Amino acid sequence: MKAIKLLCLLLLAVFILLPFVQVAQLSVISTLGTPDAPLGTVTTLNYRNIFASSALTSSLVNSVTYVTLNVALTLLVALPAAYAISRHQFRGKRAFFITLLAFRVTPPVVLSLPVFIWFSQLNLINTPIGIALVHCVFNVPIAIWILESFISAVPRAYDESARLDGYSTTRFFYTFLIPVIAPGIGVTMFFCFVFSWVEVVFARTLTVTDGKPITMAISNLFGFNTDVGLVMAMTVFSLLPGLVMIYFVRHHIARGFVVRA
Amino acid sequence: MARTNRPHPWMMLLPALAILVVVGVVPLLIVFHYSFYDIFTLQSRSWVGTQWYQDLLTSDRFYDSLARSLGFSALALSIQFPLGICIALMIPRSGPVRTGTLVLLALPLVVPWNMIPIIWLSLIDADTGLIGQAITAVGWEFDYKFNAIHTWALIAVMDTWHWVGLVAILSYSGLASISPSHYQAAAIDQASRWQVFRWVELPAMRGVLLMAFLLRFMDSFMIYTEAFGINAGGPAAATSFLTLDLGEEMRGFDYGPASARSIVYFAMTACVVWVFLRGFSREESGR
């Protein structure tokens, strides 16, 4: 029985890893063919080409910038909200939940046109701030959901004793709550990071001439004679931050999804 | 004593609400406003009333796309839920295999969405792709460009690869909340494997499964980037889902009709969430 389970998990690993193997393989092969790297040879040319192109390297910086901003902003607003939902009963809580869920599942393509028009007036086009802000529409709900279940796992007596010791709510957050729910913050950061990093529709709509994210930089590599090797090398780069994040939260990935309505 | 300086719960919700108003509510109001106009440029537009809504809701194309999107969701969920739950049941509760499998399941989630069709197309490429070469070697005919069934199959496999991990991770987090004493009690009662699943494991997963169901239903129902990347809605509109029609109108600068369509899609989204929450609270009170 145990052997069968392991075999099944092994098959799963093959299924999941095969596309990654393909990417890695193509990324080290010369797919266009140059004088010093003929078609099909194994080479580091693709990776060197990335650093030779300022459009590609700056797109990496752009993506990291708006994702980091988004994660910081999301945590900042979601933490108090999650605490309020976890610890208080109040009128409108259910309506708030429905609103959160509705925005989480609203497809970006539905909002992309008005967000573009509205952000043009606010001068938020072509800046990482605009993308960081708009990604909150799906990340804030997710963050509140995850954080709420981690906070609810902390006994209420904990808050009460801190309050009796005279700590203000803000100081209680920094000194007590955040250290206790650190794994929850890690998981939240992971999911917010991921959903912001992989999102394409908003990131494309909001960058017209400048501040292109990595996803668009790769799309722009496609043309009449596409250098597939370069595309795949760039794809490898687009995976690295996610892999680092996974490594950090590997022990906590499946925690903190308690559902209460 | 300290109760007086505790902030009211709504004060703590305020920052989150403010952001959602800026990036969610205001854009919806803008799009609602535009949906009643014929827009040449944003400065010159004329009132058309409910014209765009009537056009959309009486067009066969809308209902064809709706049927295709529902069909795709049904296909995706009927593969990903049984598979995801099976995977979750196979993961050990501790040890390196547990962590390794969870990391494995999370991997496809970090791939940017527009890379996913690129990667899968290169995988089935007949000359250089790992799967494509294997298909050629066994002599199959695989033509995702012109054979609608093959396009559907490719998108379904790709979507499963992308998302089965989320279903499995959420299911597993439900399973991990079961205390060992429940299993012991079931063993004392000599419960069969099926009975353990039905009466111990499934109830523990119910909440997370409902949530996973909502997330997966909406994301597959409104699939855009990945499906467009494979075959741009082809062959002959066979994979032209709801969002692809919307994308087409926006690229054509048909802002009026696109706005009406956005509102209709958002209304569908809101209805699904409402039905889901009603179902959920019935489950809760039924316990």
Side-chain angles (χ1 to χ4, degrees):
Chain A
M1 193 59 199
K2 197 149 187 225
I4 296 173
K5 276 189 187 178
L6 278 178
L7 189 72
C8 288
L9 290 180
L10 208 65
L11 280 175
L12 175 73
V14 172
F15 174 60
I16 290 183
L17 291 178
L18 200 61
F20 293 106
V21 172
Q22 178 79 72
V23 170
Q25 184 224 358
L26 286 174
S27 78
V28 292
I29 285 178
S30 169
T31 49
L32 277 190
T34 58
D36 45 305
L39 197 66
T41 48
V42 176
T43 168
T44 58
L45 176 78
N46 299 319
Y47 289 93
R48 278 183 277 132
N49 280 343
I50 292 178
F51 292 102
S53 154
S54 66
L56 293 181
T57 46
S58 67
S59 76
L60 267 167
V61 177
N62 291 337
S63 284
V64 171
T65 312
Y66 72 72
V67 171
T68 312
L69 274 174
N70 171 265
V71 172
L73 189 62
T74 301
L75 275 180
L76 200 68
V77 303
L79 202 57
Y83 182 79
I85 288 177
S86 164
R87 293 299 199 239
H88 297 275
Q89 286 301 330
F90 52 89
R91 279 173 65 91
K93 189 168 166 176
R94 195 173 168 75
F96 182 70
F97 243 99
I98 295 177
T99 315
L100 282 184
L101 266 182
F103 279 123
R104 168 55 189 84
V105 295
T106 300
V109 68
V110 164
L111 291 176
S112 60
L113 171 65
V115 162
F116 177 75
I117 294 167
W118 165 227
F119 277 26
S120 308
Q121 285 156 2
L122 298 176
N123 272 328
L124 286 172
I125 304 293
N126 299 334
T127 76
I129 299 166
I131 306 176
L133 208 57
V134 75
H135 282 176
C136 287
V137 79
F138 45 79
N139 271 349
V140 166
I142 282 285
I144 292 179
W145 179 35
I146 300 174
L147 288 172
E148 192 266 345
S149 62
F150 273 87
I151 295 173
S152 293
V154 178
R156 267 164 195 269
Y158 197 78
D159 318 21
E160 295 300 331
S161 66
R163 199 162 293 121
L164 287 177
D165 289 343
Y167 284 93
S168 71
T169 305
T170 322
R171 272 194 68 201
F172 165 72
F173 266 61
Y174 287 110
T175 341
F176 292 96
L177 192 66
I178 290 176
V180 172
I181 58 162
I185 292 182
V187 174
T188 309
M189 287 174 75
F190 170 73
F191 279 99
C192 292
F193 172 90
V194 163
F195 287 130
S196 179
W197 184 262
V198 299
E199 201 281 328
V200 179
V201 173
F202 282 133
R204 174 178 54 210
T205 313
L206 292 180
T207 51
V208 183
T209 51
D210 202 14
K212 294 267 179 213
I214 183 164
T215 46
M216 281 309 100
I218 300 181
S219 289
N220 290 342
L221 292 176
F222 283 84
F224 172 66
N225 199 4
T226 307
D227 188 352
V228 178
L230 181 61
V231 168
M232 291 303 164
M234 226 19 217
T235 306
V236 169
F237 267 88
S238 77
L239 298 175
L240 291 180
L243 297 183
V244 173
M245 289 298 289
I246 290 183
Y247 178 78
F248 279 121
V249 296
R250 66 192 181 284
H251 296 301
H252 305 289
I253 290 176
R255 286 182 55 199
F257 299 102
V258 182
V259 181
R260 273 176 299 270
Chain B
M1 145 212 97
R3 209 157 266 279
T4 45
N5 59 27
R6 281 168 70 179
H8 190 272
W10 278 106
M11 286 301 292
M12 294 198 254
L13 297 183
L14 209 59
L17 274 174
I19 285 209
L20 288 179
V21 166
V22 171
V23 298
V25 177
V26 171
L28 274 178
L29 291 176
I30 293 176
V31 92
F32 184 67
H33 177 70
Y34 283 162
S35 69
F36 298 102
Y37 286 92
D38 192 2
I39 295 167
F40 308 106
T41 68
L42 292 179
Q43 280 73 38
S44 82
R45 53 182 189 231
S46 58
W47 172 266
V48 293
T50 56
Q51 177 76 47
W52 304 133
Y53 290 97
Q54 286 169 17
D55 287 356
L56 177 64
L57 296 176
T58 55
S59 77
D60 290 340
R61 186 176 160 159
F62 170 68
Y63 294 100
D64 290 346
S65 297
L66 182 63
R68 277 190 290 265
S69 284
L70 282 173
F72 178 71
S73 280
L75 177 68
L77 296 187
S78 63
I79 299 171
Q80 290 162 18
F81 272 78
L83 191 61
I85 293 172
C86 279
I87 294 169
L89 289 171
M90 284 191 294
I91 304 174
R93 292 301 150 74
S94 59
V97 177
R98 168 196 179 274
T99 308
T101 312
L102 289 175
V103 166
L104 193 67
L105 290 168
L107 282 180
L109 296 178
V110 308
V111 184
W113 288 11
N114 63 340
M115 308 299 167
I116 286 174
I118 296 173
I119 294 173
W120 276 87
L121 288 180
S122 73
L123 205 54
I124 58 157
D125 187 287
D127 297 323
T128 54
L130 296 171
I131 295 179
Q133 287 167 323
I135 289 176
T136 316
V138 293
W140 279 357
E141 287 285 336
F142 188 81
D143 185 3
Y144 73 92
K145 274 253 173 257
F146 296 106
N147 183 325
I149 295 172
H150 291 178
T151 316
W152 270 72
L154 178 60
I155 297 179
V157 171
M158 177 180 76
D159 195 64
T160 302
W161 175 80
H162 188 183
W163 288 110
V164 75
L166 186 77
V167 179
I169 288 173
L170 288 174
S171 306
Y172 178 81
S173 80
L175 287 176
S177 69
I178 304 172
S179 79
S181 63
H182 279 74
Y183 283 107
Q184 283 158 9
I188 291 166
D189 291 344
Q190 295 187 316
S192 66
R193 183 70 193 83
W194 167 253
Q195 284 172 322
V196 171
F197 176 72
R198 176 64 189 83
W199 301 108
V200 179
E201 291 171 332
L202 204 55
M205 287 190 288
R206 184 158 50 188
V208 278
L209 280 182
L210 274 167
M211 195 59 149
F213 191 87
L214 176 72
L215 293 177
R216 278 314 300 134
F217 173 74
M218 283 313 302
D219 282 351
S220 57
F221 187 54
M222 294 287 178
I223 186 170
Y224 181 68
T225 314
E226 304 98 302
F228 186 80
I230 289 293
N231 212 353
T239 55
S240 172
F241 301 118
L242 285 171
T243 49
L244 271 62
D245 292 337
L246 179 57
E248 198 174 292
E249 279 177 352
M250 283 188 200
R251 273 194 303 280
F253 300 103
D254 290 334
Y255 287 165
S259 300
R261 198 185 276 275
S262 297
I263 289 296
V264 171
Y265 290 4
F266 181 75
M268 292 199 278
T269 307
C271 283
V272 170
V273 169
W274 186 72
V275 167
F276 161 84
L277 273 175
R278 274 189 64 116
F280 190 81
S281 48
R282 234 200 322 276
E283 294 265 324
E284 287 282 288
S285 58
R287 273 192 205 169

